Amino acid sequence: MQKLAVATLFVATLVLAGCGGSNSSGGNSSATSAEPSGSAAPAPAATAVTGTVTVPNPPSPITDQAKLELSLVDVTQQPGVTVNKQDFNPPKFPQDFRIPFSSSAIHPNDLYVLQATMQDNGRTYTTKLQQPVLTNGQPAHVNLTLVAEPTAAEKMLADFQQAKRQTGAMSVKSGTSAKIGESRSWQVFSDSHGIEFIIEQVNQADKGFTKTEYAYRNGLPWVVVQEQMPKPNAPATSTENVGWGDNGALVLNQKISGGKTEALSDAEAKALHDQAEAEYKRFSKNKKG
């Protein structure tokens, strides 16, 4: 009887042990299934924004005075908060960059962008759109393309061309005069504000042909475009473009000749301004008369 009781107890112990081993094995199996042997460790969190900046087809060669500024900015904050930035003076394109940051400086629910701006020879270069990075599934490595913005002088010349196209809706008066060795013709365009445009052509035969376009704002010289050519309707051999802002400061100042562009001297620019003023006074007087 005692042997039978011992045997029964022994068997029960084995059964319980077998059940416990089965539960343990199941737990280990589940853990092994969730993390297979030999799987790669999770990628470490980014500690920097990296990438490359390019400037395809710049309107003019990038000079040694160019300055490129890259800024990592939290734009959720108002105003935006700069986390860190990197400058290149001058940059060497394609320009690699690396902007480090502390993980504690990045808030997962905020929006971060990488801003890029370059100044060179009076021109600004920027990206067309801001580049989001880091949070909300955005990358830490990006490639940026800079695009040239028009200079103040280019904007003024474009505005001049646009204004010139509107002269068809203005009243116009024409005239001619002649003397030995020279013939002159002109057109004066006016609207309710007064004279807006004057176009004058001077033919000096052997000395060549000059076409000058004067544009005015509020009765003051705004833009003067003067072309020199060997004869009427021939390609211009030189073109002078000058223009002044509302405060009278010279904004547009260029002479194009022989495929080269350079600035006019202060005296040359002033001479064209004085010439524009004189033409305005002359034709305003004739209009009143």
Side-chain angles (χ1 to χ4, degrees), residues 123-136:
R123 187 185 299 278
T124 300
Y125 295 77
T126 60
T127 55
K128 288 185 176 180
L129 299 173
Q130 290 188 330
Q131 175 63 56
V133 292
L134 298 178
T135 58
N136 301 305

PDB file of all heavy atoms in Angstrom, residues 123-136:
ATOM      1  N   ARG A 123      21.791  89.136 -55.843  1.00  0.00           N
ATOM      2  CA  ARG A 123      20.706  88.217 -56.171  1.00  0.00           C
ATOM      3  C   ARG A 123      20.463  87.257 -55.012  1.00  0.00           C
ATOM      4  O   ARG A 123      21.397  86.826 -54.334  1.00  0.00           O
ATOM      5  CB  ARG A 123      21.029  87.413 -57.437  1.00  0.00           C
ATOM      6  CG  ARG A 123      19.860  86.560 -57.926  1.00  0.00           C
ATOM      7  CD  ARG A 123      20.275  85.701 -59.116  1.00  0.00           C
ATOM      8  NE  ARG A 123      20.699  86.497 -60.246  1.00  0.00           N
ATOM      9  CZ  ARG A 123      19.874  87.062 -61.118  1.00  0.00           C
ATOM     10  NH1 ARG A 123      18.566  86.940 -60.968  1.00  0.00           N
ATOM     11  NH2 ARG A 123      20.342  87.774 -62.122  1.00  0.00           N
ATOM     12  N   THR A 124      19.185  86.906 -54.810  1.00  0.00           N
ATOM     13  CA  THR A 124      18.803  85.938 -53.788  1.00  0.00           C
ATOM     14  C   THR A 124      18.425  84.622 -54.444  1.00  0.00           C
ATOM     15  O   THR A 124      17.711  84.605 -55.459  1.00  0.00           O
ATOM     16  CB  THR A 124      17.614  86.461 -52.953  1.00  0.00           C
ATOM     17  OG1 THR A 124      17.985  87.678 -52.306  1.00  0.00           O
ATOM     18  CG2 THR A 124      17.202  85.444 -51.902  1.00  0.00           C
ATOM     19  N   TYR A 125      18.908  83.532 -53.858  1.00  0.00           N
ATOM     20  CA  TYR A 125      18.551  82.179 -54.295  1.00  0.00           C
ATOM     21  C   TYR A 125      17.815  81.491 -53.144  1.00  0.00           C
ATOM     22  O   TYR A 125      18.269  81.539 -51.996  1.00  0.00           O
ATOM     23  CB  TYR A 125      19.789  81.356 -54.641  1.00  0.00           C
ATOM     24  CG  TYR A 125      20.581  81.858 -55.822  1.00  0.00           C
ATOM     25  CD1 TYR A 125      21.422  82.970 -55.709  1.00  0.00           C
ATOM     26  CD2 TYR A 125      20.528  81.217 -57.051  1.00  0.00           C
ATOM     27  CE1 TYR A 125      22.162  83.427 -56.789  1.00  0.00           C
ATOM     28  CE2 TYR A 125      21.272  81.668 -58.135  1.00  0.00           C
ATOM     29  CZ  TYR A 125      22.081  82.773 -57.999  1.00  0.00           C
ATOM     30  OH  TYR A 125      22.820  83.217 -59.062  1.00  0.00           O
ATOM     31  N   THR A 126      16.683  80.843 -53.449  1.00  0.00           N
ATOM     32  CA  THR A 126      15.941  80.116 -52.430  1.00  0.00           C
ATOM     33  C   THR A 126      15.389  78.828 -53.034  1.00  0.00           C
ATOM     34  O   THR A 126      15.455  78.614 -54.251  1.00  0.00           O
ATOM     35  CB  THR A 126      14.756  80.941 -51.891  1.00  0.00           C
ATOM     36  OG1 THR A 126      13.858  81.246 -52.976  1.00  0.00           O
ATOM     37  CG2 THR A 126      15.229  82.232 -51.248  1.00  0.00           C
ATOM     38  N   THR A 127      14.831  77.980 -52.165  1.00  0.00           N
ATOM     39  CA  THR A 127      14.109  76.809 -52.650  1.00  0.00           C
ATOM     40  C   THR A 127      12.684  77.224 -52.969  1.00  0.00           C
ATOM     41  O   THR A 127      12.140  78.157 -52.374  1.00  0.00           O
ATOM     42  CB  THR A 127      14.099  75.696 -51.589  1.00  0.00           C
ATOM     43  OG1 THR A 127      13.557  76.222 -50.370  1.00  0.00           O
ATOM     44  CG2 THR A 127      15.497  75.175 -51.328  1.00  0.00           C
ATOM     45  N   LYS A 128      12.049  76.557 -53.932  1.00  0.00           N
ATOM     46  CA  LYS A 128      10.683  76.906 -54.306  1.00  0.00           C
ATOM     47  C   LYS A 128       9.720  76.648 -53.149  1.00  0.00           C
ATOM     48  O   LYS A 128       8.786  77.408 -52.930  1.00  0.00           O
ATOM     49  CB  LYS A 128      10.252  76.106 -55.543  1.00  0.00           C
ATOM     50  CG  LYS A 128      10.915  76.556 -56.833  1.00  0.00           C
ATOM     51  CD  LYS A 128      10.346  75.811 -58.022  1.00  0.00           C
ATOM     52  CE  LYS A 128      10.943  76.322 -59.333  1.00  0.00           C
ATOM     53  NZ  LYS A 128      10.388  75.596 -60.508  1.00  0.00           N
ATOM     54  N   LEU A 129       9.952  75.551 -52.432  1.00  0.00           N
ATOM     55  CA  LEU A 129       9.111  75.192 -51.298  1.00  0.00           C
ATOM     56  C   LEU A 129       9.991  74.876 -50.102  1.00  0.00           C
ATOM     57  O   LEU A 129      11.139  74.446 -50.260  1.00  0.00           O
ATOM     58  CB  LEU A 129       8.242  73.968 -51.632  1.00  0.00           C
ATOM     59  CG  LEU A 129       7.257  74.120 -52.801  1.00  0.00           C
ATOM     60  CD1 LEU A 129       6.616  72.771 -53.108  1.00  0.00           C
ATOM     61  CD2 LEU A 129       6.188  75.152 -52.477  1.00  0.00           C
ATOM     62  N   GLN A 130       9.455  75.080 -48.900  1.00  0.00           N
ATOM     63  CA  GLN A 130      10.195  74.680 -47.710  1.00  0.00           C
ATOM     64  C   GLN A 130      10.217  73.159 -47.621  1.00  0.00           C
ATOM     65  O   GLN A 130       9.238  72.491 -47.962  1.00  0.00           O
ATOM     66  CB  GLN A 130       9.546  75.278 -46.460  1.00  0.00           C
ATOM     67  CG  GLN A 130       9.717  76.778 -46.344  1.00  0.00           C
ATOM     68  CD  GLN A 130       9.233  77.311 -45.011  1.00  0.00           C
ATOM     69  OE1 GLN A 130       8.319  76.761 -44.415  1.00  0.00           O
ATOM     70  NE2 GLN A 130       9.841  78.379 -44.540  1.00  0.00           N
ATOM     71  N   GLN A 131      11.342  72.615 -47.158  1.00  0.00           N
ATOM     72  CA  GLN A 131      11.530  71.174 -47.088  1.00  0.00           C
ATOM     73  C   GLN A 131      11.270  70.660 -45.674  1.00  0.00           C
ATOM     74  O   GLN A 131      12.038  70.936 -44.757  1.00  0.00           O
ATOM     75  CB  GLN A 131      12.962  70.819 -47.510  1.00  0.00           C
ATOM     76  CG  GLN A 131      13.311  69.356 -47.354  1.00  0.00           C
ATOM     77  CD  GLN A 131      12.481  68.458 -48.233  1.00  0.00           C
ATOM     78  OE1 GLN A 131      12.448  68.627 -49.446  1.00  0.00           O
ATOM     79  NE2 GLN A 131      11.805  67.493 -47.630  1.00  0.00           N
ATOM     80  N   PRO A 132      10.156  69.907 -45.450  1.00  0.00           N
ATOM     81  CA  PRO A 132       9.921  69.349 -44.109  1.00  0.00           C
ATOM     82  C   PRO A 132      10.904  68.218 -43.805  1.00  0.00           C
ATOM     83  O   PRO A 132      11.298  67.459 -44.702  1.00  0.00           O
ATOM     84  CB  PRO A 132       8.482  68.827 -44.196  1.00  0.00           C
ATOM     85  CG  PRO A 132       8.236  68.599 -45.648  1.00  0.00           C
ATOM     86  CD  PRO A 132       9.067  69.600 -46.382  1.00  0.00           C
ATOM     87  N   VAL A 133      11.302  68.103 -42.539  1.00  0.00           N
ATOM     88  CA  VAL A 133      12.254  67.070 -42.115  1.00  0.00           C
ATOM     89  C   VAL A 133      11.873  66.547 -40.728  1.00  0.00           C
ATOM     90  O   VAL A 133      11.104  67.156 -39.996  1.00  0.00           O
ATOM     91  CB  VAL A 133      13.709  67.614 -42.078  1.00  0.00           C
ATOM     92  CG1 VAL A 133      14.232  67.914 -43.465  1.00  0.00           C
ATOM     93  CG2 VAL A 133      13.792  68.862 -41.191  1.00  0.00           C
ATOM     94  N   LEU A 134      12.410  65.372 -40.415  1.00  0.00           N
ATOM     95  CA  LEU A 134      12.461  64.762 -39.079  1.00  0.00           C
ATOM     96  C   LEU A 134      11.151  64.195 -38.550  1.00  0.00           C
ATOM     97  O   LEU A 134      11.043  62.998 -38.301  1.00  0.00           O
ATOM     98  CB  LEU A 134      13.046  65.755 -38.058  1.00  0.00           C
ATOM     99  CG  LEU A 134      14.487  66.207 -38.301  1.00  0.00           C
ATOM    100  CD1 LEU A 134      14.907  67.224 -37.249  1.00  0.00           C
ATOM    101  CD2 LEU A 134      15.421  65.017 -38.329  1.00  0.00           C
ATOM    102  N   THR A 135      10.157  65.010 -38.313  1.00  0.00           N
ATOM    103  CA  THR A 135       8.942  64.531 -37.663  1.00  0.00           C
ATOM    104  C   THR A 135       7.846  64.235 -38.677  1.00  0.00           C
ATOM    105  O   THR A 135       7.956  64.589 -39.856  1.00  0.00           O
ATOM    106  CB  THR A 135       8.423  65.565 -36.648  1.00  0.00           C
ATOM    107  OG1 THR A 135       8.188  66.800 -37.333  1.00  0.00           O
ATOM    108  CG2 THR A 135       9.436  65.782 -35.535  1.00  0.00           C
ATOM    109  N   ASN A 136       6.773  63.581 -38.201  1.00  0.00           N
ATOM    110  CA  ASN A 136       5.632  63.240 -39.059  1.00  0.00           C
ATOM    111  C   ASN A 136       6.043  62.411 -40.268  1.00  0.00           C
ATOM    112  O   ASN A 136       5.514  62.587 -41.376  1.00  0.00           O
ATOM    113  CB  ASN A 136       4.901  64.509 -39.516  1.00  0.00           C
ATOM    114  CG  ASN A 136       4.392  65.341 -38.361  1.00  0.00           C
ATOM    115  OD1 ASN A 136       3.668  64.837 -37.506  1.00  0.00           O
ATOM    116  ND2 ASN A 136       4.780  66.613 -38.316  1.00  0.00           N
TER     117      ASN A 136
END
